[in-house]
Amino acid sequence: QGETRRFDGLPTSAKEGAIWGVRDLERGERMAENIEICRRLWTEDNVSFAGKYRTFHDANVNPKPVQQPCPIWIAANPKPSLSGKALRRVAQIADGWMVASVWPGLFGALWTRLSRHLSEAGKDPAAFPNIAYHNIHLAHDRETALNETMRFLQAYYGPVFSPEQAAGWTAAGSPAHCIEDLNRLVRAGAKSGLRAATVSRIRSVPETGDAATTVLRPASSAISVKGSAEDLWKSAAHAASPAKAGGRGG
């Protein structure tokens, strides 16, 4: 039967919404309304809805999800000083939270605030799931890894990330350094389901002599990354071929 999670997030700029005639200040309200609509269509028959942005009568979606309820997560990584409305929305209507830590220390700062909002909403922060979506770039030194990361991010997303943001969003450098970066997220509150995306390839790995890319998915439900530096090099060397380098992992 499998398992499905729906992730909802807002466009990263007003220009994206403007293409569809959506004003920047409407985005959060529209997403919340659409989540309400999805939940009703996935669980009820002959649904009628009259909202601020959507109105319809006697609508049905079939077949309905096997999972009841089908969890809906919200992806949100606002600046902490501007996070109040976005994180309250997560606490009030989401079944989980995903974040890209695009500034150094962002995950911990937001999780602390979200935990408070969850408690205010009558939810237990310890039971509320989260995912830290994070890049990993293995290289012989951190500077090389971050330079390659910046080139990848600019090619994939455009010129929207600063070097400081790339450093905050990437476990970069030697295996030991990457492991410590990931465990820092764990200590900040990241739970099971850490997702890591490789951004580039390793050239000339001393322990194996192979070039490779890898997508690291810790098997343990407690996502602490364990193992020696040599183990991580070997897992990288055998995970994928160089031809796949530069792809987006998930």
Side-chain angles (χ1 to χ4, degrees), residues 76-97:
N77 43 277
K79 292 182 178 180
S81 61
L82 303 173
S83 65
K85 183 180 291 187
L87 294 184
R88 279 194 295 272
R89 185 183 301 119
V90 173
Q92 291 165 0
I93 68 173
D95 299 307
W97 173 57

Side-chain angles (χ1 to χ4, degrees), residues 58-140:
D58 295 326
N60 288 282
V61 169
N62 289 297
K64 290 178 170 41
V66 172
Q67 290 168 270
Q68 291 292 342
C70 183
I72 298 179
W73 292 41
I74 291 179
N77 43 277
K79 292 182 178 180
S81 61
L82 303 173
S83 65
K85 183 180 291 187
L87 294 184
R88 279 194 295 272
R89 185 183 301 119
V90 173
Q92 291 165 0
I93 68 173
D95 299 307
W97 173 57
M98 185 173 77
V99 60
S101 189
V102 294
W103 293 99
L106 182 64
F107 182 94
L110 293 182
W111 179 242
T112 297
R113 288 166 170 78
L114 177 56
S115 295
R116 184 170 62 250
H117 294 311
L118 288 166
S119 297
E120 292 170 354
K123 299 180 181 180
D124 180 7
F128 193 80
N130 65 47
I131 287 178
Y133 181 77
H134 210 66
N135 299 310
I136 298 175
H137 189 129
L138 293 171
H140 297 294

